[in-house]
Amino acid sequence: MYSREEIIEILKNTGDNEQLFALADKVRHEKTGDEVHLRGLIEFSNICKRQCKYCGLRAPNKKVSRYRMMPEEIILCAQNAAEAGYKTIVLQSGEDDYYSRDILCRIISGIKKFDTAVTLSIGERSFEDYKAFKDCGADRYLLRIETTDKDLYKKMHPGMDINTRIRCLEHLRELDYEVGTGCLVGLPDQTPESLADDILFFKEINADMVGIGPLIPHPETPLKECPPGSLTTALKVMAITRIILENINIPATTAMETLDPEGRILALKSGANVIMPNVTPTIYKNKYEIYPNKAGYSENALKSRKYAEEILKKAGRSISKGYGFRKK
Ligand code: SAM
């Protein structure tokens, strides 16, 4: 395992990264195999009470046209995805309090009837909420730490507290979820040292899934003038994470593909083993604008799957038929 100093050195190195990416690919092959897990992503509400400085869904953005899918609509969308072959449904939204514990439990129980794993990505909730969702059958939870740098976290997330976020991750672990976290690459004043700490944090909490996203500036946010995060740095953070955490699940993120049409393939060759095609109904899809020009818009669950198949063929990989839990 790399020391903090070694990670920093790799991140600072401006030369060739072929060796690093090849090693991450080898570890991915040995520890998780060549199959890629597809997760059908439903972005069910773009309403958010938070003010994250980088995110287009932030509450003060009055230019975004807001939507909220109703429980029956979400369940139907999940059914379509399950019928198209997806074995995991990911439910993602802004932090929208309309979705009470009861409503979410109804949605989760409805989806579990289709024999899929369910991943939630709906932000910070109480221990009791997390417990109720788990009791209804939720399997996994994604909650990126975004950055472990306490000062940067505070600047980027007005009114939020990094300790609450860490506590949420601890609660999820205690409740036996598969826990996903991750970070943004390219936040203002972010240093290689701070990215190294992010990677060590993933190890410390024994994350089951880690998503790394390059920052893509959104014009209606305070970070609109910020340059986009570097795809190469994001791939390096991802590759080091693979080498250190070995058998976890790592998505080739949409943000990577948005920055570069080859981004997802590069990610799949540098440690990633998961793709999350967007199966949100077309009428809502372009309203979930966390950043502009999100890659991978296709018309429905089947088309998204076909699109993923094409990408995988190019990368010489196959689609997994299982639920895609972390390999023991
Ligand atoms: N509200 C939930 C939460 O807090 O985990 C989930 C939704 S949130 C929109 C999903 C992820 O989008 C965040 O974890 C963040 O890393 C990413 N994101 C938001 N704005 C972004 C941007 N401008 N560029 C890249 N990723 C962004």
Side-chain angles (χ1 to χ4, degrees), residues 157-322:
H157 306 98
M160 293 175 79
D161 181 344
I162 194 167
N163 294 317
T164 309
R165 201 133 183 115
I166 293 172
R167 203 162 344 121
C168 284
L169 288 164
E170 286 167 357
H171 286 165
L172 293 164
R173 172 63 72 213
E174 204 179 317
L175 289 163
D176 217 20
Y177 280 89
E178 277 208 337
V179 177
T181 190
C183 64
L184 278 167
V185 172
L187 290 168
D189 302 324
Q190 194 176 37
T191 59
E193 286 76 7
S194 131
L195 287 171
D197 289 336
D198 293 351
I199 298 170
L200 293 173
F201 173 79
F202 307 152
K203 175 75 181 166
E204 189 188 314
I205 68 161
N206 188 22
D208 299 299
M209 309 171 275
V210 173
I212 315 285
L215 174 86
I216 301 176
H218 188 291
E220 297 300 329
T221 66
L223 296 198
K224 61 179 175 220
E225 308 290 354
C226 193
S230 146
L231 176 61
T232 304
T233 308
L235 289 170
K236 284 168 79 174
V237 172
M238 193 195 73
I240 300 168
T241 302
R242 166 62 72 201
I243 294 164
I244 294 179
L245 280 100
E246 298 189 329
N247 64 351
I248 64 167
N249 285 321
I250 299 185
T253 56
T254 311
M256 289 176 172
E257 192 180 10
T258 302
L259 278 187
D260 180 334
E262 295 294 303
R264 270 193 191 174
I265 296 177
L266 289 173
L268 286 168
K269 289 180 173 167
S270 316
N273 70 324
V274 171
I275 300 188
M276 293 167 59
N278 194 328
V279 300
T280 309
T282 320
I283 44 165
Y284 303 122
K285 232 177 217 177
N286 59 1
K287 295 185 175 147
Y288 197 83
E289 203 194 73
I290 51 183
Y291 47 79
N293 307 317
K294 250 167 66 189
Y297 288 128
S298 24
E299 277 161 29
N300 56 37
L302 254 184
K303 263 200 154 179
S304 291
R305 202 183 158 88
K306 288 245 149 36
Y307 177 69
E309 266 169 19
E310 269 170 41
I311 285 183
L312 292 181
K313 214 167 159 195
K314 273 199 219 172
R317 307 268 280 280
S318 60
I319 296 182
S320 155
K321 293 192 172 65

